[in-house]
Amino acid sequence: MSISPIDVARTDGGPQWVEAVATPAGVEVWWDEPRPHEGGRRCVVRRLPDGTRVDALPEGWNARNRVVEYGGRSWRPLPGGGLVFTNWADQRLYRLDGPLDGPLDGAEPVALTPEGPARYGDLYLPPGRDEVWAVRETHDVRDLVAVPLDGGDVRVIVKAQHFVMNPRVSPDGRKVSWIGWDHPNMPWDGTELCVAPLAADGTAGPYEVVAGGPSESVTQAEWRDETSLYAVTDPTGWWNVHLVPLGGGEARNLTPMESEFGVAPWKPGLATFAVADDGRLVVVHGTADHRRLGLLDPGTGELRDLGGTATHWSGTVSAAGGKAVAVKGTPYTPLQVTLVGLDDGGHEVVSAPKPLPDRALLPAPEAVTIEGVHAHLYPPSGAQGPGPYVIFVHGGPTGNMPILLDLEIAYFTSRGIGVAVVNYGGSTGYGRAYRERLRHQWGVVDVQDCAIVARGLVERGVADAARIAIRGGSAGGWTTVAALVHSDVFAGGVAHYAITDPESWAAETHDFESRYLDGLVGPLPETRQRYTERSPLLNAFRASGPCLMLHGLEDAIVDVGQAERFTAELDKHGKEWALLTFPGEQHGWRREETIVAVLEAELAFYGLIFGMETPGVPPLTLKGRA
């Protein structure tokens, strides 16, 4: 008995954003969720105080955007039960009038922004104003704008740094704050928390930087009162919550501990803390091994746990009416939108249940550290003695893989293939020092750390040294192909939408990541030799085993040419390979049929290189195999 690819597709992904809204009848909860069976769209869902769940976005509409290509906060509920959102198809802002509390037959969203190249994200509703604020991105130029909810002219509030996010208005309505940064920094390297006066015409005056800098990363800020803000920032090397006064006073660390209260802001609008009505802070914190939900008293510093038995809480939280809403998960339950009582700590799951396989099919993960490298081990079903293992490598590379239910992993473990997730040097969730192990060492430290874990599995007697593969997506795909050409540990690799040549990728990728490699490898042209030495494309002749490449044809972050050129080099040097491409897919898999096809191809690949039977999946042919 094993997990099917349909099981994986229908539980893949989770809520991205949540919001709690206090009403006379109780607290409403809003969230968005993926719908792989509806073409991969993201649908906004509303849960009323009486427990009724309704879709708040009609079929055919997709609440996503392409701000910095990864997308920012894409919707906000409006007073009266309406919705403002960005639509994937045209990247425009729309208003959908409420109450959205039943069938949406005939509901028609109204466009608030004109047609054109502009994208909108990181939506925010300033109190007392009939407008929505957003980051507007037009041809790699970003500003903070106000869009009237009646569809009037868009007004520019702030033109400042090259990248901006987190717009907020002060409680008295007289100041605006935001977070900004410039190339070559990424937002986890260094950002600035800025405050400016708001003029009578709604535009910002000259601003001052009140926190952050070139080597300090502010990831979120919310106003406490007219004279101070709460901000997640990392001058100590850990993303802690600080109280930041205006006027030049020194910020005070409210959570002085080795625990991350922030996450890497790949998607503008992520929120790891929320200010409750009574002034307490609901916080998500911990490490990549265990993320907790807590309630912080900013006056006393007391931090009370609200997380219960959950091992992971996502980077989205909201609070209203004495409740918090957040997203929790465990190794045996999917990500669930959960309403949490701030006083009694009670949990109520409000999102719809998902069908789950038998608990016996799910692996029991173990967090380990092997020679200083963090990893999560997922043993295979029915393991007796050393067996095949796959090293899973997360993307980013400034990211991590937490411990929670992942049916993609269970798909393989239920078939006798063990999985080891490696949070290599450079990963988030373990403080800045661990994150910066990868500085100028991408393609070296990540590869070495994956090899260290693989060898550790052999030494523990659980993995067969001749049957260890490596796989990953995006930056994890880079590490996969880099490990194939720069080590002899792996029998083969599966690379999803992978970077295979860093210099050409830096030249052709999108603006947000166009200077990422300055910190990961080094600035060009001064360090070009490093790019040449580490490039999997230029070293394809060294591949230690076959490679399966999988890529979406609409990927704007990593062009499919990266896969095509690499497989051409493998073919040139007589190496074994396969390349599968998927129309309509971008950077990541969203459609049910694609998720199924990708899983089956990957399993067939492991069958070939591990010498295993893989009944029930289409055969895969490797070019170059005799």
Side-chain angles (χ1 to χ4, degrees):
M1 193 173 177
S2 57
I3 290 171
S4 77
I6 288 291
D7 291 336
V8 180
R10 293 188 177 172
T11 60
D12 187 56
Q16 185 73 68
W17 323 103
V18 298
E19 187 129 357
V21 178
T23 75
V27 176
E28 291 184 359
V29 181
W30 297 65
W31 69 92
D32 64 292
E33 61 187 29
R35 298 280 175 88
H37 57 289
E38 296 179 19
R41 80 174 181 125
R42 294 201 73 90
C43 182
V44 180
V45 181
R46 181 187 187 193
R47 193 262 198 180
L48 302 173
D50 65 5
T52 303
R53 276 188 303 269
V54 294
D55 285 357
L57 195 65
E59 289 187 22
W61 296 85
N62 185 358
R64 284 180 63 205
N65 58 70
R66 294 182 61 172
V67 167
V68 300
E69 291 300 345
Y70 292 99
R73 174 86 194 222
S74 58
W75 58 269
R76 291 281 186 178
L78 294 172
L83 182 73
V84 60
F85 69 97
T86 60
N87 186 48
W88 175 255
D90 57 9
Q91 298 296 304
R92 298 169 74 185
L93 265 172
Y94 285 83
R95 186 191 76 243
L96 185 60
D97 293 329
L100 306 175
D101 55 6
L104 296 177
D105 300 337
E108 189 63 31
V110 176
L112 300 180
T113 54
E115 295 180 352
R119 307 166 176 180
Y120 299 84
D122 198 0
L123 306 189
Y124 166 68
L125 291 176
R129 297 170 183 261
D130 292 328
E131 56 192 21
V132 56
W133 289 8
V135 174
R136 181 178 65 181
E137 181 179 80
T138 311
H139 300 306
D140 296 337
V141 174
R142 291 159 202 88
D143 40 32
L144 299 178
V145 299
V147 180
L149 291 173
D150 62 5
D153 292 339
V154 175
R155 180 182 79 254
V156 175
I157 305 169
V158 170
K159 282 185 175 292
Q161 296 91 338
H162 192 66
F163 297 97
V164 289
M165 66 179 185
N166 202 115
R168 298 290 188 270
V169 67
S170 61
D172 61 5
R174 299 173 62 183
K175 292 181 282 291
V176 58
S177 65
W178 70 92
I179 296 168
W181 71 99
D182 289 297
H183 283 314
N185 267 355
M186 298 299 288
W188 40 85
D189 296 325
T191 60
E192 297 174 328
L193 174 57
C194 304
V195 174
L198 269 178
D201 63 358
T203 62
Y207 68 88
E208 65 171 324
V209 176
V210 299
S215 57
E216 180 184 334
S217 168
V218 185
T219 61
Q220 183 189 350
E222 308 291 340
W223 287 91
R224 175 179 180 266
D225 54 31
E226 290 81 0
T227 64
S228 60
L229 300 100
Y230 296 116
V232 172
T233 185
D234 69 345
T236 65
W238 293 84
W239 276 315
N240 290 167
V241 182
H242 290 69
L243 179 61
V244 180
L246 304 187
E250 185 175 347
R252 179 163 62 93
N253 191 346
L254 303 179
T255 56
M257 60 186 75
E258 292 187 349
S259 182
E260 298 279 47
F261 287 75
V263 294
W266 284 95
K267 295 173 178 286
L270 292 172
T272 52
F273 78 92
V275 183
D277 299 335
D278 61 7
R280 292 179 293 178
L281 305 184
V282 183
V283 294
V284 175
H285 70 104
T287 71
D289 301 331
H290 191 168
R291 297 283 289 172
R292 296 171 168 85
L293 185 73
L295 185 64
L296 175 67
D297 185 324
T300 66
E302 179 189 3
L303 180 59
R304 180 163 65 89
D305 185 66
L306 293 176
T309 59
T311 57
H312 179 78
W313 292 85
S314 299
T316 181
V317 64
S318 177
K323 305 280 188 179
V325 60
V327 180
K328 71 178 180 181
T330 77
Y332 310 107
T333 54
L335 291 171
Q336 299 170 316
V337 181
T338 305
L339 197 61
V340 180
L342 299 187
D343 293 323
D344 62 16
H347 286 205
E348 180 187 4
V349 174
V350 298
S351 51
K354 292 183 176 182
L356 292 176
D358 191 299
R359 172 78 174 258
L361 295 175
L362 303 178
E366 177 189 5
V368 301
T369 303
I370 301 175
E371 296 182 31
V373 181
H374 298 285
H376 304 151
L377 307 185
Y378 294 80
S381 298
Q384 294 181 349
Y389 257 82
V390 179
I391 300 295
F392 270 45
V393 192
H394 66 73
T398 312
N400 65 61
M401 286 184 69
I403 291 181
L404 46 71
L405 177 68
D406 188 331
L407 289 191
E408 186 176 50
I409 289 175
Y411 176 77
F412 297 110
T413 60
S414 69
R415 289 168 169 78
I417 301 172
V419 169
V421 169
V422 178
N423 284 327
Y424 49 87
S427 300
T428 57
Y430 305 101
R432 183 181 278 263
Y434 191 79
R435 199 164 75 235
E436 292 198 343
R437 283 187 58 222
L438 202 60
R439 188 162 187 83
H440 295 163
Q441 295 297 313
W442 195 41
V444 179
V445 164
D446 49 330
V447 170
Q448 292 174 348
D449 285 2
C450 289
I452 284 170
V453 172
R455 293 190 182 102
L457 295 174
V458 175
E459 292 170 2
R460 286 170 171 242
V462 299
D464 178 352
R467 294 192 294 166
I468 301 178
I470 186 169
R471 63 94 77 179
S474 190
W478 150 274
T479 302
T480 295
V481 293
L484 281 183
V485 304
H486 293 307
S487 77
D488 59 2
V489 175
F490 302 103
V494 179
H496 301 242
Y497 33 91
I499 298 164
T500 64
D501 181 60
E503 185 169 355
S504 63
W505 177 76
E508 67 193 17
T509 194
H510 61 131
D511 186 46
F512 177 62
E513 293 183 88
S514 62
R515 299 292 299 278
Y516 197 3
L517 298 192
D518 283 34
L520 292 175
V521 181
L524 287 167
E526 300 94 309
T527 61
R528 177 165 283 121
Q529 186 61 29
R530 291 181 199 164
Y531 287 73
T532 301
E533 291 171 353
R534 298 180 196 176
S535 169
L537 175 70
L538 301 180
N539 292 276
F541 64 94
R542 302 178 186 274
S544 62
C547 186
L548 169 62
M549 307 289 289
L550 305 151
H551 221 105
L553 292 179
E554 294 182 10
D555 194 334
I557 295 171
V558 180
D559 187 79
V560 69
Q562 291 277 324
E564 293 169 341
R565 292 191 292 271
F566 182 67
T567 53
E569 282 297 303
L570 291 176
D571 192 66
K572 176 181 173 181
H573 295 287
K575 304 294 183 178
E576 296 178 294
W577 62 276
L579 170 61
L580 303 180
T581 59
F582 299 92
E585 291 285 7
Q586 298 94 43
H587 198 65
W589 316 125
R590 289 178 172 82
R591 298 182 177 185
E592 183 175 292
E593 61 270 25
T594 304
I595 295 168
V596 170
V598 163
L599 282 170
E600 291 184 337
E602 189 167 344
L603 179 61
F605 177 81
Y606 297 141
L608 291 174
I609 67 171
F610 292 155
M612 299 173 59
E613 296 292 328
T614 55
V617 302
L620 179 72
T621 300
L622 293 177
K623 306 291 178 63
R625 171 161 286 212

